Amino acid sequence: TGIVASSFNSQMERRNIIFEDQVRKALLDGILDHTEKADLERLRKEFGMTKRRADALINQVQSMRAKK
């Protein structure tokens, strides 16, 4: 069970990284337009990510951009 849990955690981390990368790309112009939001929502569902987790990642990326 440890191997399965480790594999699951690795997969979830990869999905978080991919989602976060897509958020960064969508925010290159500083805003999320309707199309970008829809694309992120599709990816969130594809990855089985909760809305809360996706929103947290989006907020994290926006905060990091604001600090630059």
Side-chain angles (χ1 to χ4, degrees):
T1 59
I3 293 171
V4 172
S6 177
S7 177
F8 176 78
N9 287 337
S10 293
Q11 182 66 22
M12 292 306 295
E13 184 59 29
R14 277 193 292 271
R15 290 177 178 188
N16 283 340
I17 290 168
I18 292 168
F19 188 84
E20 191 174 324
D21 184 55
Q22 292 302 309
V23 172
R24 281 194 181 94
K25 288 178 183 176
L27 283 170
L28 284 175
D29 62 359
I31 57 170
L32 287 176
D33 65 29
H34 179 71
T35 302
E36 292 165 334
K37 287 179 183 179
D39 290 343
L40 290 173
E41 181 63 11
R42 270 193 299 279
L43 187 60
R44 178 191 76 77
K45 288 178 180 178
E46 179 184 328
F47 284 175
M49 185 181 290
T50 65
K51 180 98 171 94
R52 177 178 278 175
R53 180 65 183 142
D55 289 345
L57 286 171
I58 291 168
N59 290 336
Q60 177 183 339
V61 171
Q62 287 174 326
S63 294
M64 290 171 60
R65 284 185 48 82
K67 291 179 183 178
K68 287 184 179 183

